[in-house]
Amino acid sequence: MAESGGGGGGCCPPMDLMRSEPMQLVQLIVPMESAHLTVSYLGDLGLVQFKDLNSEKSPFQRTYAAQIKRCGEMARKIRFFKDQMSKAGVLPKEMLGKENDIDLDDVEVKLEELEAELVEINANNDKLQRSYNELMEYKLVLQKAGEFFSSAHRNATAQHRETESQQGDEDLLESPLLQEEKSIDSSKQVKLGFLTGLVPREKSMVFERILFRATRGNVYIRQTVVEEPVIDPNSGEKAEKNVFVVFYSGERAKSKILKICEAFGANRYPFSEDLGKQAQMITEVSGRLTEFKTTIDAGLGHRNILLQTIGDKFELWSLKVRKEKAIYHTLNMLSLDVTKKCLVAEGWSPVFASQEIQDALERAAVDSNSQVGSIFQVLRTKELPPTYFRTNKFTSAIQEIVDAYGVAKYQEANPGVFTIVTFPFLFAVMFGDWGHGICLLLATMYLIVREKKLASQKLGDIMEMAFGGRYVIMMMSLFSIYTGLIYNEFFSIPYPLFAPSAYDCRDASCSEATTIGLIKVRDTYPFGLDPVWHGTRSELPFLNSLKMKMSILLGVSQMNLGIIMSYFNARFFKSSVNIWFQFIPQMIFLNSLFGYLSVLIIIKWCTGSQADLYHVMIYMFLSPTDELGENQLFPHQKTVQLVLLFLALVSVPCMLLPKPFILKKQHEARHQGQSYAPLEETDESLHVEASGGSHGHEEFEFSEIFVHQLIHTIEFVLGAVSNTASYLRLWALSLAHSELSSVFYEKVLLLAWGYNNILILIVGIIVFIFATVGVLLVMETLSAFLHALRLHWVEFQNKFYEGDGYKFAPFSFILTASEDE
């Protein structure tokens, strides 16, 4: 369809961005022995979008499922290495060699060996670390519990001595009876057991309460706080713990305590009452801790050496595995020939890439020592090709903005050509301040100057977005400086840059009066707004009138451009129906109303007339035959208005009625002889096309076409009014930006200056800077950006842009690498 009109159907000189690249459906017949190398070379080329010829098969039924599984396992090992290196703080080295220098089988063997060794080192290190952490806890238990037992022993000894001294003065006759009583008591004494360990501090109070209740108070508990957090042997995480000693009586109480300790995650350790044994155990534990520390350090050193070895080749292996996996994924999209000796591929490629693809096929056949070369042929098809625009780093961001609305249909006019200029310009109309524009330009120049360094770094989401659109922001800032000079605003302050003001005050009170108090003493200010307007009471009415009329002129111009682009689309695709019954009625309708309004605005500016344009436009519809009186701007204006109103009314049925009937007639003429079988075709590809076309014949739904045309007509007629009104946002946003800037300058900076206090002045400057950056340079930039985006997507692009195509997504190793990252 588009191919037939792609030759000379255009109106404009050839442009990379005006029309998408001519595409072709190609078929490749590749011998099995050179298939892998062929796909690899085509991946390096990145100009073929393969079609999946095995869509009916599941991933497990495809030819290269085993190889993909193998590559997936290697990718898992590489991810494991990456995780281990990031934990150890080892950075992979930049790739110096080529991935072709290594064999995939060698990589697989090497990865398996390294993984096994690293897993073993990690397992040994975990065991050693666990034992080390247990010994650290054991040492703490020995120290803290030993202090408790030593203190208890000292208290008991002192108490015993005191008791003996008190009993020395008693009667000797009572001594045998007392000894007998003591001997009886000693035989009835109960042996107490105890358990020691550590419990997490946040659970210590609950632990103590549960023990008390479970044993009905028949326990004695002592807890001591461990000052430094300790590493738990089970979880490997630092935790604050308490050392506890629990005294109990009986095996039943012991079993309950053991279960409670297990439930609370309390680690228990053996402990001896003998002070000599305690000192000996502390010495043994300290010695073993030293040994473990030395062993762990040696293991970590060996592990770091291994990770450094992996890091040296990590990027090379990672790229090799990613490429191989992508190659096998692509090979699975190819169909196996009946002889099982060839693979058949189909895909889209740009026409200009034919020679490069054939060169890649020849190189692959030679390098793989294939006896048979690959076959390259172009297929004819009625399938809609993908859309491919060749962009650079300057135009790619603008193209992304257009594609976010919808990808262009194959070879339809691309709005991006005009958006490169109109988008930053409409942004600047709303943002116009050359001081703010310079700030924005400096920030953007930083991104552009350091783009090579920043491109290789991982930035945040917002910073990544700003970096990707750095050239768009640069254009926005340059246009903002231009419109700021027109508005004569530098952080809301006017400057007579190009000449002194053309006006002077008639008397001292004129600054508070309207411009009637000014007299013209010099030539008109050469560029932009005369600085004398700022600060007068008539400033706001004057700027409102100027910016509102300017917004309408810009809006009508851009909408006319959109309708003109629909003419070029219709001419390119050879659709005379769209020219006569879409382009012409739309141009007549829009310009009969709002084109006429734009002409009236220009006449009023040129003549200085006091005519009320609101009154003219309203009564053009309500009372078209009434006399205009003082609102008449040119002779025979009433007659012109009647003619324009008549043309606008006639253009509506011209848009609505003829097109559906003409399309129906064309469809009937096209399919009149469809029931007869075609004669023999000499060209096989043509025969395939003809038979495919007959099967693809669908019924013509006249009602559906008519309703679609009705909706389209109503949308355009109502949209002509609403879209023109929508461009008034240029005036509203410009006014808001100017007034906010003025408020920050007068109510923050000038107010702080008026206090004659250095501290207040510094605070005022800081607040002014933060308000300017936060509100005017960030929020207002985003607001103006979104409004400019809406004006392009809705008001401009809906006049001609269908945007129902799909992007050209070639098989490319560069794209594969960026997606994985």
Side-chain angles (χ1 to χ4, degrees):
M1 174 181 68
E3 289 174 5
S4 61
C11 59
C12 304
M15 295 175 83
D16 284 340
L17 278 177
M18 190 62 188
R19 304 274 176 199
S20 60
E21 291 291 334
M23 305 295 286
Q24 60 188 2
L25 182 64
V26 299
Q27 185 183 60
L28 310 177
I29 301 173
V30 187
M32 290 289 286
E33 61 268 19
S34 64
H36 182 277
L37 206 55
T38 300
V39 172
S40 176
Y41 286 170
L42 291 176
D44 290 328
L45 190 61
L47 287 171
V48 181
Q49 177 180 326
F50 289 96
K51 293 174 71 177
D52 191 357
L53 303 180
N54 299 315
S55 55
E56 72 283 351
K57 292 183 180 179
S58 70
F60 304 103
Q61 294 174 323
R62 302 199 181 198
T63 311
Y64 295 94
Q67 286 85 343
I68 288 178
K69 185 178 179 183
R70 176 187 171 199
C71 291
E73 182 62 22
M74 284 190 278
R76 181 197 61 77
K77 291 171 184 173
I78 285 172
R79 287 195 300 272
F80 170 68
F81 292 150
K82 186 178 182 181
D83 183 51
Q84 293 294 310
M85 285 193 295
S86 65
K87 287 180 180 177
V90 177
L91 296 174
K93 289 187 179 178
E94 291 184 7
M95 190 175 61
L96 300 175
K98 293 184 179 179
E99 74 279 359
N100 295 333
D101 298 337
I102 57 174
D103 184 63
L104 188 66
D105 295 332
D106 296 340
V107 172
E108 186 178 23
V109 172
K110 191 69 177 173
L111 290 177
E112 196 167 342
E113 290 175 358
L114 289 169
E115 186 194 28
E117 186 177 355
L118 188 57
V119 166
E120 186 180 356
I121 290 173
N122 286 343
N124 292 336
N125 185 60
D126 290 343
K127 287 179 183 177
L128 288 169
Q129 194 66 46
R130 182 186 174 94
S131 301
Y132 179 80
N133 293 336
E134 286 178 347
L135 285 174
M136 283 295 294
E137 286 196 344
Y138 191 19
K139 185 178 179 181
L140 287 168
V141 168
L142 290 173
Q143 290 173 345
K144 298 292 182 181
E147 290 174 5
F148 165 69
F149 276 94
S150 299
S151 173
H153 187 266
R154 285 195 301 271
N155 292 339
T157 304
Q159 191 176 2
H160 182 67
R161 286 175 182 169
E162 186 179 347
T163 305
E164 283 182 349
S165 65
Q166 288 176 357
Q167 288 178 347
D169 297 334
E170 292 182 356
D171 190 14
L172 294 174
L173 293 173
E174 295 177 1
S175 180
L177 294 173
L178 289 170
Q179 287 176 0
E180 185 180 352
E181 189 179 323
K182 285 177 182 178
S183 63
I184 294 169
D185 290 337
S186 63
S187 65
K188 292 181 180 179
Q189 282 180 357
V190 179
K191 180 70 175 176
L192 293 177
F194 65 90
L195 292 171
T196 57
L198 288 98
V199 65
R201 191 172 300 168
E202 68 269 10
K203 299 180 181 178
S204 59
M205 296 304 296
V206 183
F207 175 69
E208 190 171 329
R209 195 177 301 120
I210 294 293
L211 282 177
F212 188 82
R213 290 177 180 174
T215 58
R216 299 186 180 181
N218 292 320
V219 290
Y220 176 67
I221 306 171
R222 283 293 300 270
Q223 291 195 53
T224 308
V225 174
V226 179
E227 292 80 9
E228 296 292 328
V230 293
I231 300 174
D232 187 78
N234 298 319
S235 65
E237 296 178 356
K238 281 191 174 184
E240 294 183 334
K241 293 191 174 186
N242 289 357
V243 174
F244 67 87
V245 182
V246 181
F247 292 92
Y248 62 89
S249 173
E251 289 298 318
R252 191 173 178 184
K254 181 181 179 181
S255 65
K256 287 183 180 179
I257 294 167
L258 290 175
K259 288 179 181 177
I260 292 168
C261 287
E262 188 177 345
F264 276 84
N267 300 326
R268 294 173 289 102
Y269 296 96
F271 188 81
S272 175
E273 296 180 58
D274 190 353
L275 295 177
K277 284 185 179 180
Q278 289 177 19
Q280 184 182 351
M281 288 172 73
I282 288 175
T283 307
E284 287 179 7
V285 168
S286 299
R288 289 179 65 191
L289 280 171
T290 307
E291 292 173 6
F292 272 116
K293 183 67 176 172
T294 306
T295 310
I296 288 169
D297 289 343
L300 288 174
H302 179 56
R303 180 173 178 268
N304 284 336
I305 292 170
L306 182 64
L307 289 174
Q308 288 284 359
T309 307
I310 294 170
D312 291 344
K313 295 286 184 71
F314 179 81
E315 290 292 342
L316 189 65
W317 293 338
S318 177
L319 183 61
K320 180 68 177 177
V321 171
R322 283 203 307 267
K323 279 194 174 185
E324 290 295 322
K325 192 174 181 182
I327 288 168
Y328 285 119
H329 264 300
T330 305
L331 285 170
N332 269 342
M333 298 168 74
L334 277 55
S335 66
L336 199 61
D337 189 63
V338 287
T339 61
K340 296 192 176 179
K341 292 181 181 178
C342 294
L343 287 171
V344 179
E346 287 184 12
W348 295 102
S349 76
V351 172
F352 71 81
S354 297
Q355 189 57 47
E356 295 175 63
I357 294 170
Q358 291 180 47
D359 292 343
L361 295 178
E362 289 175 12
R363 273 192 300 119
V366 171
D367 293 349
S368 59
N369 299 319
S370 175
Q371 300 295 324
V372 184
S374 301
I375 298 172
F376 172 90
Q377 59 182 357
V378 179
L379 301 178
R380 295 185 63 183
T381 180
K382 287 188 175 179
E383 189 180 343
L384 188 70
T387 301
Y388 174 48
F389 293 106
R390 280 191 281 183
T391 58
N392 52 36
K393 61 185 179 181
F394 182 80
T395 57
S396 60
I398 287 289
Q399 193 59 51
E400 286 296 326
I401 289 173
V402 173
D403 289 346
Y405 175 82
V407 178
K409 192 174 71 174
Y410 178 61
Q411 288 209 319
E412 79 167 314
N414 180 20
V417 177
F418 305 98
T419 305
I420 291 172
V421 175
T422 58
F423 183 85
F425 177 70
L426 290 186
F427 168 87
V429 171
M430 295 179 273
F431 192 77
D433 187 303
W434 62 277
H436 296 152
I438 289 171
C439 293
L440 211 56
L441 181 63
L442 292 175
T444 314
M445 291 310 295
Y446 170 80
L447 296 178
I448 292 172
V449 169
R450 297 178 56 113
E451 67 179 11
K452 287 186 179 178
K453 185 177 180 181
L454 292 172
S456 60
Q457 296 178 359
K458 282 196 174 181
L459 308 171
D461 290 341
I462 296 175
M463 193 64 183
E464 189 77 41
M465 198 181 302
F467 179 72
R470 58 195 180 279
Y471 289 102
V472 179
I473 302 172
M474 182 192 75
M475 291 286 287
M476 285 157 48
S477 60
L478 290 174
F479 274 106
S480 296
I481 294 171
Y482 169 71
T483 53
L485 291 171
I486 290 177
Y487 296 158
N488 204 341
E489 288 189 6
F490 177 82
F491 297 99
S492 80
I493 309 165
Y495 283 96
L497 292 176
F498 303 101
S501 172
Y503 299 91
D504 268 340
C505 288
R506 184 176 295 166
D507 51 44
S509 64
C510 116
S511 62
E512 289 298 321
T514 63
T515 46
I516 298 170
L518 298 171
I519 53 172
K520 189 170 183 180
V521 294
R522 300 180 194 90
D523 292 336
T524 304
Y525 194 71
F527 184 82
L529 196 66
D530 196 308
V532 78
W533 281 100
H534 291 274
T536 61
R537 278 191 286 174
S538 56
E539 175 192 6
L540 203 56
F542 169 73
L543 288 180
N544 276 345
S545 175
L546 173 70
K547 292 181 179 180
M548 181 172 63
K549 291 180 174 66
M550 182 183 68
S551 301
I552 292 172
L553 291 176
L554 292 173
V556 172
S557 302
Q558 191 174 30
M559 287 192 290
N560 270 301
L561 175 62
I563 298 172
I564 291 168
M565 291 312 299
S566 73
Y567 163 75
F568 290 134
N569 268 341
R571 185 173 167 186
F572 182 85
F573 293 119
K574 298 182 178 176
S575 174
S576 58
V577 177
N578 285 345
I579 293 175
W580 289 103
F581 302 107
Q582 184 172 309
F583 164 70
I584 292 175
Q586 285 182 358
M587 284 295 286
I588 290 172
F589 184 85
L590 181 68
N591 290 296
S592 294
L593 303 178
F594 299 103
Y596 174 62
L597 174 61
S598 303
V599 171
L600 291 182
I601 289 171
I602 294 169
I603 292 173
K604 184 177 178 180
W605 279 348
C606 294
T607 60
S609 170
Q610 297 295 316
D612 186 356
L613 298 186
Y614 292 109
H615 185 279
V616 172
M617 292 305 296
I618 290 170
Y619 282 93
M620 179 178 170
F621 292 94
L622 296 181
S623 302
T625 57
D626 288 359
E627 294 297 330
L628 295 171
E630 61 182 10
N631 291 321
Q632 184 164 331
L633 287 161
F634 57 90
H636 309 294
Q637 184 177 348
K638 177 182 166 184
T639 308
V640 171
Q641 288 185 178
L642 286 170
V643 172
L644 291 176
L645 189 60
F646 175 75
L647 289 173
L649 292 174
V650 168
S651 63
V652 176
C654 289
M655 277 188 277
L656 173 62
L657 297 174
K659 188 175 176 180
F661 289 99
I662 293 171
L663 290 177
K664 183 180 180 183
K665 189 176 179 181
Q666 287 178 350
H667 182 270
E668 289 171 352
R670 194 182 305 121
H671 296 284
Q672 195 169 9
Q674 202 63 258
S675 58
Y676 298 100
L679 295 172
E680 285 187 16
E681 296 281 355
T682 55
D683 189 351
E684 189 178 350
S685 64
L686 289 175
H687 181 74
V688 171
E689 183 189 355
S691 61
S694 64
H695 288 301
H697 168 53
E698 295 180 1
E699 289 296 325
F700 182 80
E701 294 289 345
F702 178 77
S703 59
E704 186 179 333
I705 298 294
F706 189 83
V707 169
H708 179 269
Q709 190 63 25
L710 177 65
I711 292 169
H712 185 74
T713 304
I714 294 171
E715 182 186 9
F716 179 81
V717 170
L718 298 180
V721 181
S722 64
N723 292 353
T724 307
S726 183
Y727 276 94
L728 293 176
R729 72 185 67 235
L730 297 173
W731 156 49
L733 267 290
S734 173
L735 177 67
H737 186 87
S738 175
E739 291 301 310
L740 272 174
S741 182
S742 179
V743 165
F744 289 148
Y745 173 69
E746 292 175 4
K747 302 299 180 185
V748 177
L749 202 60
L750 290 185
L751 198 65
W753 184 273
Y755 280 98
N756 292 325
N757 186 314
I758 189 67
L759 185 62
I760 294 175
L761 181 60
I762 292 171
V763 171
I765 292 171
I766 292 170
V767 171
F768 176 75
I769 291 170
F770 275 94
T772 301
V773 172
V775 178
L776 296 174
L777 293 181
V778 177
M779 292 174 63
E780 278 286 304
T781 301
L782 183 61
S783 172
F785 180 92
L786 293 174
H787 283 285
L789 196 64
R790 183 241 149 80
L791 289 176
H792 280 80
W793 280 358
V794 179
E795 276 69 35
F796 173 54
Q797 290 180 191
N798 74 350
K799 300 291 184 293
F800 70 99
Y801 188 59
E802 293 187 26
D804 56 354
Y806 64 101
K807 240 179 184 177
F808 177 57
F811 170 62
S812 170
F813 291 136
I814 297 171
L815 297 175
T816 305
S818 62
E819 283 172 8
D820 287 345
E821 288 173 3

